[in-house]
């Protein structure tokens, strides 16, 4: 139904939107910039044969691309604290494409490559649709952050 007794679902009565929750003040400890190919959609990330599920060929290829980016400038230490992940997805097609369909496969590949220990570390996630280009690409800024009190 969406609205119950003048309230939106999911927002407790008396709760107000706190601007500091939407855009918290943080100090960046370390940042990593990456240019990757377009991640596969989560719909094509896994395949199945019978009762077995496994990574698709495009998912494996994207993981290898993420691993190559990890070792590009020599091996780096994984990010260990709270993270802010900012992503710009530039599609190569005019078709309508969901932004959120690509994020989980990106997070899994970055974790598998060793950029961070678990995607539960990501506290702030920003995703933007970039300009259309001749090839789809994914620009990533991964920052280890500390909240300012």
């Amino acid at each position: 139904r969406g609205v119950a007794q003048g309230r939106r679902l999911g927002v407790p009565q008396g709760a107000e939107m706190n601007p500091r929750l939407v855009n918290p003040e943080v100090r960046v400890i370390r940042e990593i910039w990456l240019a990757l190919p377009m991640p596969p959609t989560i719909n094509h990330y896994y395949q199945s044969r019978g009762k077995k599920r496994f990574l698709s060929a495009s998912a494996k290829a994207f993981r290898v691309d993420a691993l190559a980016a990890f070792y590009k400038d020599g091996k780096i230490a994984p990010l260990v604290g709270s993270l802010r992940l900012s992503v710009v997805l530039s599609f190569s097609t005019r078709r309508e494409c969901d932004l959120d369909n690509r994020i989980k496969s990106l997070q899994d590949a970055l974790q598998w490559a060793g950029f961070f220990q678990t995607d539960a570390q990501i506290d702030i996630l920003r995703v933007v649709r970039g300009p259309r280009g001749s090839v789809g690409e994914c620009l990533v800024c991964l920052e280890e952050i500390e909240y300012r009190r």
Side-chain angles (χ1 to χ4, degrees):
R1 294 187 152 341
V3 176
Q5 300 172 351
R7 297 182 291 159
R8 291 185 183 171
L9 291 178
V11 179
Q13 189 170 7
E16 295 178 15
M17 183 57 75
N18 183 343
R20 294 192 75 178
L21 289 175
V22 175
N23 195 13
E25 292 182 32
V26 297
R27 182 175 73 89
V28 176
I29 299 168
R30 219 170 85 192
E31 68 181 9
I32 300 169
W33 289 86
L34 304 167
L36 295 170
M38 183 63 69
T41 69
I42 201 66
N43 299 338
H44 298 124
Y45 198 70
Y46 293 102
Q47 292 180 330
S48 60
R49 222 175 256 133
K51 292 186 178 185
K52 294 183 180 182
R53 284 180 49 135
F54 52 93
L55 289 175
S56 67
S58 61
K60 288 178 184 177
F62 185 71
R63 278 184 163 193
V64 169
D65 291 335
L67 188 63
F70 184 71
Y71 285 105
K72 181 180 177 188
D73 297 324
K75 186 174 179 180
I76 58 172
L79 303 171
V80 293
S82 296
L83 303 177
R84 174 169 53 193
L85 176 62
S86 303
V87 181
V88 178
L89 294 173
S90 297
F91 294 94
S92 61
T93 177
R94 291 179 191 242
R95 285 188 350 206
E96 286 186 7
C97 300
D98 290 341
L99 294 176
D100 61 338
N101 233 357
R102 312 272 178 162
I103 298 304
K104 185 61 181 166
S105 56
L106 172 65
Q107 290 175 342
D108 287 348
L110 293 175
Q111 179 182 338
W112 181 82
F115 285 100
F116 48 84
Q117 296 161 344
T118 173
D119 56 4
Q121 290 174 253
I122 299 171
D123 288 346
I124 302 172
L125 175 63
R126 292 190 174 141
V127 183
V128 178
R129 186 183 309 272
R132 195 178 66 230
S134 57
V135 258
E137 69 175 345
C138 173
L139 301 175
V140 177
C141 179
L142 189 57
E143 300 166 304
E144 187 173 353
I145 59 172
E146 182 179 87
Y147 289 98
R148 293 188 179 166
R149 303 280 176 215

